[in-house]
Amino acid sequence: MRYFLFIFLWIVLGNAPQNSFAQDISKTTINNQEQELGFEVELDRLLSEISRNPSNLNTNYRYAKLAEKLGKYYETIAAYERMLIANPDLERVKLDLALTYMKVGSLDEAKRLFLEVKAKNPPPAVVTNIDKMLAVVEKGVKRHRFGANITLGYNSDTNPSASPNSGAVDVFGVTIPIDDATGSGADEQKFVYASLNHSYVMPTKKKHVWNSEASFYKSVQDNASELNTTVYTLKTGPTFNAENKALRYGVNATCSRVNLAEYEYLNTLGYEVFADYILSKNAKIRLTHTREERSFANTPTTTTYEDRDGYTNEQKISLTSLMTPNDIFNTTVAVKREHTNVDYYTNRSRSFAFNYTHLFKQGAFAHAGVSYKTTNYKDVDTFVNPNIVRVDNERTLSFGVGQNITDNLTCSLIYQNRGIQSNIQNYEYSNERVTASMNWKF
């Protein structure tokens, strides 16, 4: 972004010498490299002095600060510890050592030092700062963390089944295929969503975490009771922090049960593999691969659901960026393959989604999103059209506003327009939805 700003100014003002920006960048890079090389030389010289006189407080302190500037935190820790061996009453050094321990994740050691200094009755301003650091440490030291989320909402749909034939209902981003016999028509829906989260911080150097989430969803239609949906899900697995602090990766095992119209409808079992990489302080990328085994259950009145038994594979890449602290962009590209018992349900889809959120003052926010998906089916459905293999093109637009009432309570209002164009007329549809919801986080 900075590069393009300089180029723009060069074009407009017309008095920037050619290649000056590249020259400036080159000079800056060289200067930084020379400065870092100078620091390394100075660090070696100080270490040589320390080897001759390990108890010299001034030399050790200078070495600790220079090593910290270079990101060599364990060398910094060693220098501070040598100072405390020479003089155990250096309270300021203990605080500096505690802060360095926090940087390398040794929170128990940091806590011990903070409490040790606090017990000596330092000035009130120092006590205040220590208490702030202790609060951060306590949050990180806790092995077990729990959280909960409850959402109550109301949907108004022009076509709640989402399509007149072989459609789907959408449950918090999860598409659930529904019965061919389900018809279209306006309806309202009340829903509740609840989740319980647990995180266990492993006693490892890099503080790996095991995350688990159990969730429950229930929706009730005012008229189309055949679309009343209940969903139970469970997800659990470890997240690992790499040596490179910018990289985090993990795997989750997943399972779910879906009831439609109070009957058992769909059971899934699968896994998710993901990796998060921090590109910069304002951008993060996530790569995800998921696989899900699907087992449908027939009902007393329908014997064709089991034709959809099979599995799905999906690969997804998402980029989240902050253009400003108040402007958040997210772009997602995905490829999904669904394999079923019968070829006319087997399909491959490719999708693209773009979302933008703006944060206003006093907790208000606005959201806009657009997505496009194309789905190609493998074979003809002779019951619908014996000559044409189905191809669907779906687009979704959404706009919303919300307000954080408190730190834990958020209210939102969202409008969504979703439509499909298909080469088979039976599968063309559109649906407009307005959702009002309240969300509590604990």
Side-chain angles (χ1 to χ4, degrees):
M1 181 62 72
R2 189 174 299 171
Y3 173 81
F4 291 105
L5 177 60
F6 274 95
I7 293 298
F8 172 76
L9 291 174
W10 178 75
I11 293 173
V12 172
L13 298 177
N15 57 4
Q18 190 172 5
N19 294 328
S20 64
F21 179 67
Q23 293 168 0
D24 289 343
I25 289 294
S26 177
K27 289 178 182 178
T28 301
T29 302
I30 292 172
N31 290 339
N32 289 340
Q33 292 173 344
E34 290 177 348
Q35 185 180 45
E36 187 170 331
L37 181 61
F39 287 159
E40 293 284 357
V41 171
E42 176 66 9
L43 202 65
D44 290 340
R45 188 189 68 78
L46 290 172
L47 184 60
S48 178
E49 287 188 23
I50 292 170
S51 66
R52 292 191 296 271
N53 186 5
S55 61
N56 187 304
L57 298 179
N58 182 56
T59 306
N60 273 292
Y61 186 76
R62 289 163 57 199
Y63 180 89
K65 288 300 183 183
L66 188 56
E68 183 179 18
K69 184 178 292 186
L70 292 171
K72 298 185 175 184
Y73 299 124
Y74 290 102
E75 286 86 342
T76 301
I77 289 171
Y80 285 143
E81 287 178 340
R82 285 192 295 267
M83 294 176 70
L84 291 174
I85 291 172
N87 186 348
D89 296 323
L90 297 173
E91 308 304 321
R92 171 58 189 271
V93 172
K94 290 179 183 178
L95 293 176
D96 287 343
L97 177 55
L99 292 172
T100 310
Y101 272 133
M102 290 179 68
K103 291 180 179 179
V104 299
S106 299
L107 300 182
D108 291 325
E109 289 296 318
K111 180 180 178 180
R112 177 183 63 79
L113 288 166
F114 282 132
L115 291 175
E116 189 176 317
V117 175
K118 187 177 179 180
K120 299 291 182 65
N121 295 316
V126 176
V127 172
T128 299
N129 289 332
I130 289 176
D131 287 341
K132 290 179 180 178
M133 292 297 102
L134 282 172
V136 175
V137 169
E138 284 292 342
K139 186 176 180 181
V141 165
K142 286 182 180 179
R143 297 288 183 208
H144 297 275
R145 304 173 192 170
F146 293 90
N149 190 322
I150 297 176
T151 300
L152 299 177
Y154 187 86
N155 290 327
S156 177
D157 290 289
T158 59
N159 182 358
S161 67
S163 73
N165 295 293
S166 295
V169 291
D170 186 78
V171 176
F172 281 73
V174 177
T175 300
I176 300 173
I178 61 172
D179 182 12
D180 290 356
T182 302
S184 60
D187 202 359
E188 278 70 46
Q189 173 197 100
K190 296 174 282 291
F191 68 88
V192 58
Y193 172 81
S195 66
L196 179 65
N197 308 290
H198 172 252
S199 297
Y200 171 68
V201 181
M202 303 180 200
T204 57
K205 180 180 176 181
K206 297 185 179 64
K207 305 298 180 185
H208 305 313
V209 180
W210 191 288
N211 296 303
S212 299
E213 180 183 54
S215 64
F216 166 81
Y217 172 86
K218 176 70 175 179
S219 67
V220 177
Q221 301 287 148
D222 285 358
N223 299 309
S225 60
E226 68 273 15
L227 290 177
N228 290 348
T229 306
T230 307
V231 182
Y232 306 90
T233 63
L234 178 64
K235 180 169 71 172
T236 184
T239 298
F240 302 100
N241 298 306
E243 195 72 44
N244 177 356
K245 293 182 179 180
L247 176 63
R248 187 178 66 169
Y249 56 93
V251 59
N252 290 307
T254 62
C255 65
S256 68
R257 159 103 178 240
V258 179
N259 290 347
L260 196 61
E262 310 309 325
Y263 291 108
E264 179 184 358
Y265 177 64
L266 172 62
N267 293 287
T268 70
L269 185 65
Y271 66 86
E272 171 192 66
V273 181
F274 67 90
D276 293 325
Y277 187 78
I278 300 174
L279 299 172
S280 69
K281 65 179 181 179
N282 295 324
K284 182 185 78 170
I285 193 170
R286 164 167 280 213
L287 304 175
T288 308
H289 168 75
T290 59
R291 181 184 173 91
E292 184 178 82
E293 298 288 337
R294 289 180 166 185
S295 176
F296 288 82
N298 292 331
T299 70
T301 58
T302 307
T303 60
T304 58
Y305 288 161
E306 292 181 359
D307 290 345
R308 298 173 186 247
D309 286 358
Y311 63 92
T312 64
N313 285 316
E314 183 177 34
Q315 293 76 42
K316 185 186 297 183
I317 180 170
S318 298
L319 173 66
T320 301
S321 59
L322 279 70
M323 299 303 293
T324 75
N326 297 323
D327 296 289
I328 305 167
F329 295 87
N330 179 268
T331 304
T332 300
V333 177
V335 176
K336 185 174 183 179
R337 295 173 179 84
E338 180 179 359
H339 301 265
T340 66
N341 282 341
V342 294
D343 285 345
Y344 55 79
Y345 283 135
T346 297
N347 67 81
R348 182 182 69 176
S349 64
R350 290 158 291 176
S351 62
F352 169 84
F354 177 79
N355 292 279
Y356 167 67
T357 301
H358 180 78
L359 307 178
F360 297 96
K361 294 181 179 178
Q362 283 137 6
F365 60 89
H367 168 84
V370 59
S371 66
Y372 179 83
K373 181 172 75 172
T374 180
T375 305
N376 298 82
Y377 287 81
K378 185 176 180 179
D379 202 357
V380 297
D381 183 351
T382 56
F383 293 101
V384 179
N385 191 310
N387 301 313
I388 300 176
V389 178
R390 179 180 168 192
V391 178
D392 292 345
N393 294 302
E394 176 183 340
R395 60 104 188 102
T396 303
L397 302 173
S398 63
F399 307 92
V401 293
Q403 175 69 49
N404 296 319
I405 308 300
T406 68
D407 289 340
N408 299 322
L409 176 62
T410 301
C411 297
S412 63
L413 182 67
I414 298 174
Y415 167 80
Q416 182 191 79
N417 187 305
R418 184 169 174 235
I420 286 181
Q421 290 183 336
S422 178
N423 60 347
I424 299 178
Q425 186 175 359
N426 300 56
Y427 296 105
E428 292 193 348
Y429 83 97
S430 64
N431 179 45
E432 293 182 79
R433 165 176 286 185
V434 176
T435 300
S437 65
M438 297 181 67
N439 173 264
W440 291 267
K441 292 182 180 179
F442 305 93

